[in-house]
Amino acid sequence: MAGSRVAAWLFFALAAKGALGARKVRTAIARRSSQASGLPDPKCHTGVVSLKVKGEAQVCCAGYCGECTDYPTCGFVRGQNSTHACCKTKVLERKCGSGAPANVCLKSCSESLPPCILDEQETFKAPDKNILTAGTNCTEAVKDWRQAAAAAMQPPSTTPAETTTTTTTTTVTTTTTTTTITTLPSSLTFPGATFTLSTLTEGTTCWSDRSYVYTDIESSGIPSGTSFWMGPHKSYGSGSFTFYAAGPGRFYFWSESTGALRNGGWASTYSRYKVGTMKWDLETEDVYAMDVTAGETVTLPKSTSQFVGGFAFGPVPA
């Protein structure tokens, strides 16, 4: 009975997703296999290859990037800072031996997993999208798999088992665990407030309704280039801020520590999470941080009538 349910599920998945789904499944399987074994990826099977440009090394971006170019949103894939994983030029700038710090430089793909730099003696091409796959002829693929699955469920005989059962059963098992779980992007909400994503760097505009800018980012404990939510300056009613993490990372939040009492009451509540300070105009903001897991929700009650601060989310620094 269990084998029949798995077979029915596979038929539905193959028929619905077609060739594109099959490619994604193969890529996900390869990525999980490489990560589990810790082996490098010299051919960029688990990532996304950039186009060949004369005089430049090819780049292998992370597999979740979708493409390996400098497209406008390459730095904010899945709501996180993906600049040095998905933006081709930024990945290339971190090539080991090109001036990037040793603790963050990217090795060649013959030594590491994506993001990495492909060896220059060979030009790598993206897989042909028109190549024949199970998705292009799913009825035959399902038939072959059912025969192999049936053979695998038979008691062992005195003769050697057919070799077709080994590879096909492994593929099916992995497919059920890599059904690309669709998660909501990381988000920040507050009753009646609207937020937009921006990038935190020295001189970045702080709020959507003011022209003030952030300074002294180096002392904040937040890596420059981290994505943050730009909301109103101080116009909040009563309620709590709610952060949802689509993936694991570090959640940063800050509030005003000088001037009027507009810190949300966080100076005492979250003092153990303080990692640094930064400024806007002439005022100082205390910065706090906590590591979160995928699917985790953090609720921050606002206990002061006004609030001046902000929120960011990014990978846990190495």
Side-chain angles (χ1 to χ4, degrees), residues 186-198 206-209 214 228-237 240-243 251 254 266 300 302 307-312:
S186 300
S187 62
L188 179 79
T189 58
F190 187 91
T194 301
F195 300 91
T196 57
L197 272 177
S198 186
C206 305
W207 298 286
S208 57
D209 56 355
Y214 285 123
F228 82 100
W229 284 274
M230 183 187 295
H233 173 51
K234 58 183 178 182
S235 303
Y236 295 94
S240 299
F241 295 94
T242 302
F243 166 72
F251 174 48
W254 55 91
W266 297 351
L300 304 174
K302 181 185 73 69
F307 172 78
V308 177
F311 309 86

Side-chain angles (χ1 to χ4, degrees), residues 10-118:
L10 179 63
F11 178 84
F12 177 79
L14 286 173
K17 293 186 177 299
L20 178 60
R23 284 198 303 274
K24 289 184 177 179
V25 168
R26 288 197 305 276
T27 301
I29 292 171
R31 181 165 59 252
R32 284 176 178 265
S33 177
S34 294
Q35 290 172 344
S37 63
L39 297 176
D41 186 10
K43 302 288 187 180
C44 194
H45 291 309
T46 64
V48 184
V49 185
S50 67
L51 293 176
K52 178 64 178 176
V53 176
K54 187 175 181 179
E56 285 187 6
Q58 281 184 278
V59 168
C60 179
C61 293
Y64 63 82
C65 299
E67 61 181 275
C68 191
T69 65
D70 293 322
Y71 59 100
T73 58
C74 66
F76 309 106
V77 177
R78 297 183 179 177
Q80 299 188 42
N81 180 14
S82 57
T83 302
H84 294 101
C86 300
C87 299
K88 171 194 168 184
T89 300
K90 293 298 183 182
V91 173
L92 192 57
E93 287 176 356
R94 282 203 169 178
K95 178 182 179 181
C96 289
S98 63
N103 62 326
V104 297
C105 76
L106 298 176
K107 298 179 180 180
S108 69
C109 297
S110 60
E111 304 175 78
S112 177
L113 289 169
C116 55
I117 312 300
L118 289 163

Side-chain angles (χ1 to χ4, degrees), residues 51-313:
L51 293 176
K52 178 64 178 176
V53 176
K54 187 175 181 179
E56 285 187 6
Q58 281 184 278
V59 168
C60 179
C61 293
Y64 63 82
C65 299
E67 61 181 275
C68 191
T69 65
D70 293 322
Y71 59 100
T73 58
C74 66
F76 309 106
V77 177
R78 297 183 179 177
Q80 299 188 42
N81 180 14
S82 57
T83 302
H84 294 101
C86 300
C87 299
K88 171 194 168 184
T89 300
K90 293 298 183 182
V91 173
L92 192 57
E93 287 176 356
R94 282 203 169 178
K95 178 182 179 181
C96 289
S98 63
N103 62 326
V104 297
C105 76
L106 298 176
K107 298 179 180 180
S108 69
C109 297
S110 60
E111 304 175 78
S112 177
L113 289 169
C116 55
I117 312 300
L118 289 163
D119 293 329
E120 298 185 27
Q121 66 269 22
E122 183 177 353
T123 298
F124 294 84
K125 297 181 180 179
D128 184 0
K129 294 182 179 180
N130 297 318
I131 191 170
L132 182 64
T133 65
T136 60
N137 195 9
C138 61
T139 54
E140 291 300 318
V142 171
K143 178 182 176 181
D144 292 344
W145 178 86
R146 283 177 173 170
Q147 291 175 346
M153 296 171 64
Q154 295 296 322
S157 63
T158 55
T159 58
E162 294 184 15
T163 57
T164 55
T165 61
T166 302
T167 56
T168 52
T169 52
T170 301
T171 301
V172 172
T173 301
T174 318
T175 301
T176 59
T177 59
T178 57
T179 50
T180 309
I181 301 173
T182 302
T183 58
L184 295 173
S186 300
S187 62
L188 179 79
T189 58
F190 187 91
T194 301
F195 300 91
T196 57
L197 272 177
S198 186
T199 304
L200 185 63
T201 56
E202 190 74 12
T204 298
T205 301
C206 305
W207 298 286
S208 57
D209 56 355
R210 295 290 192 279
S211 59
Y212 301 121
V213 298
Y214 285 123
T215 57
D216 294 348
I217 300 300
E218 284 190 1
S219 63
S220 68
I222 308 175
S224 179
T226 299
S227 300
F228 82 100
W229 284 274
M230 183 187 295
H233 173 51
K234 58 183 178 182
S235 303
Y236 295 94
S238 59
S240 299
F241 295 94
T242 302
F243 166 72
Y244 168 77
R250 181 162 294 177
F251 174 48
Y252 303 91
F253 52 100
W254 55 91
S255 63
E256 193 173 75
S257 60
T258 57
L261 291 177
R262 304 184 295 191
N263 63 7
W266 297 351
S268 57
T269 306
Y270 301 109
S271 58
R272 67 184 183 279
Y273 295 105
K274 184 175 178 180
V275 294
T277 61
M278 61 183 177
K279 291 183 179 294
W280 70 271
D281 198 33
L282 300 178
E283 304 294 348
T284 300
E285 300 273 325
D286 283 339
V287 182
Y288 312 91
M290 59 176 65
D291 293 346
V292 294
T293 58
E296 185 172 351
T297 298
V298 178
T299 301
L300 304 174
K302 181 185 73 69
S303 61
T304 54
S305 58
Q306 292 185 335
F307 172 78
V308 177
F311 309 86
F313 182 57

